[in-house]
Amino acid sequence: MRILQLPVLRDNYVYLLHDPDTATAAVVDPAVAEPVLEKLAELQADLVAIFNTHHHHDHVGGNQPLLARYPYAAVYASGVDRGRIPGQTVELAAGQMVQFNRHTAQVLFVPGHTRGHIAYYFPESGDLFCGDTLFAGGCGRLFEGTPQQMLGSLDQLRQLPEPTRVWCAHEYTLNNLKFALTVDGDNPDLQARYRAVETLRQVGSPTVPSTIGEERRTNPFLRWDQPALQAAAGSQEPDRVLARIRSMKDHF
């Protein structure tokens, strides 16, 4: 399974999963359709599946135009989001498995950013498509969920194997790390990561994917049990640490 990263809009990433052996493809969170259609034509591949993580328009805006060209493609999303996903044909819940040809993904229920957010984890290849729950160096805003829900969601992701590649849906890394330095500034891994990301962005290179291991070492939203973050939040209660750090980031 090849993973093709398509930058769209201002800072979104759409992911095309390509199986060259069968000349088929699946797409994760198609914000817009045109770049996906162009890449499918270039690859001479048929679209067989759309995997949506949540209902926001910059993740589902391309669904209907893609279905107009590939009407038999299955559209996967959370059952909680029923009625909010254009063209949805499959309702998913935590623990279910989904197939893209020979490739199997586990469905993780990760609410917080939205009430129905899910992620797709391919354990065999070690790839995680996490939408807006976990970002490189950050996490999503709490639009529909609670700090307790987001804590549980991030803890699920934190426990995945460290080499797991984190394919998040936005190029927010540099700004996320700028904020992280304000609450975890003595962290040498974070300092080094910031310098590396700054260099990448100066030449327009993507900073995604990261890895779970890198996030555990440098992402303040996975480090609620570390003294520096607890001190910044003024609490040792995990949900309160997360809520306070998220509020600080909202106003950064």
Side-chain angles (χ1 to χ4, degrees):
M1 182 175 75
R2 299 173 60 208
I3 300 173
L4 304 177
Q5 184 180 51
L6 307 180
V8 303
L9 303 178
R10 187 178 69 174
D11 50 32
N12 279 69
Y13 288 126
V14 174
Y15 297 108
L16 195 66
L17 315 183
H18 178 224
D19 186 340
D21 293 337
T22 61
T24 58
V27 66
V28 181
D29 283 348
V32 292
E34 290 79 4
V36 179
L37 291 168
E38 291 173 5
K39 184 59 69 172
L40 289 169
E42 176 188 323
L43 297 170
Q44 297 184 329
D46 287 325
L47 185 71
V48 298
I50 297 173
F51 295 118
N52 291 128
T53 61
H54 64 294
H55 71 92
H56 286 162
H57 186 71
D58 63 335
H59 294 255
V60 303
N63 281 24
Q64 294 290 21
L66 289 172
L67 291 172
R69 174 65 179 82
Y70 300 97
Y72 300 110
V75 180
Y76 298 85
S78 171
V80 177
D81 277 339
R82 180 179 181 181
R84 304 205 291 181
I85 305 292
Q88 182 175 1
T89 58
V90 183
E91 298 181 8
L92 298 173
Q96 285 186 258
M97 310 300 285
V98 297
Q99 292 288 134
F100 166 55
N101 296 337
R102 304 179 307 277
H103 314 289
T104 302
Q106 180 182 356
V107 177
L108 306 177
F109 184 53
V110 286
H113 180 63
T114 65
R115 59 185 172 85
H117 205 302
I118 58 175
Y120 300 90
Y121 171 54
F122 289 82
E124 185 175 337
S125 62
D127 292 299
L128 171 71
F129 298 93
C130 52
D132 288 357
T133 295
L134 175 65
F135 292 130
C139 76
R141 287 177 179 264
L142 301 180
F143 286 128
E144 298 178 3
T146 66
Q148 292 81 4
Q149 286 177 315
M150 183 61 94
L151 180 73
S153 297
L154 293 173
D155 194 38
Q156 274 193 80
L157 302 183
R158 189 172 80 154
Q159 294 182 43
L160 294 175
E162 288 204 352
T164 300
R165 293 190 292 179
V166 177
W167 300 93
C168 61
H170 290 275
E171 182 56 68
Y172 290 164
T173 315
L174 185 60
N175 189 60
N176 284 342
L177 296 183
K178 285 180 181 178
F179 167 74
L181 286 168
T182 69
V183 292
D184 197 16
D186 292 333
N187 180 340
D189 292 323
L190 174 57
Q191 295 168 2
R193 185 181 186 187
Y194 178 80
R195 291 192 296 269
V197 164
E198 192 173 37
T199 299
L200 287 172
R201 294 311 295 157
Q202 285 172 351
V203 296
S205 295
T207 65
V208 176
S210 63
T211 67
I212 289 294
E214 186 171 38
E215 297 307 319
R216 289 185 59 150
R217 292 188 295 273
T218 61
N219 187 328
F221 298 100
L222 296 187
R223 292 170 55 78
W224 56 80
D225 50 4
Q226 296 300 307
L229 277 301
Q230 292 174 348
S235 176
Q236 294 184 338
E237 296 296 322
D239 59 337
R240 292 185 179 181
V241 174
L242 182 67
R244 177 57 181 155
I245 298 300
R246 182 62 256 183
S247 177
M248 294 167 68
K249 177 63 168 64
D250 289 346
H251 297 93
F252 178 66

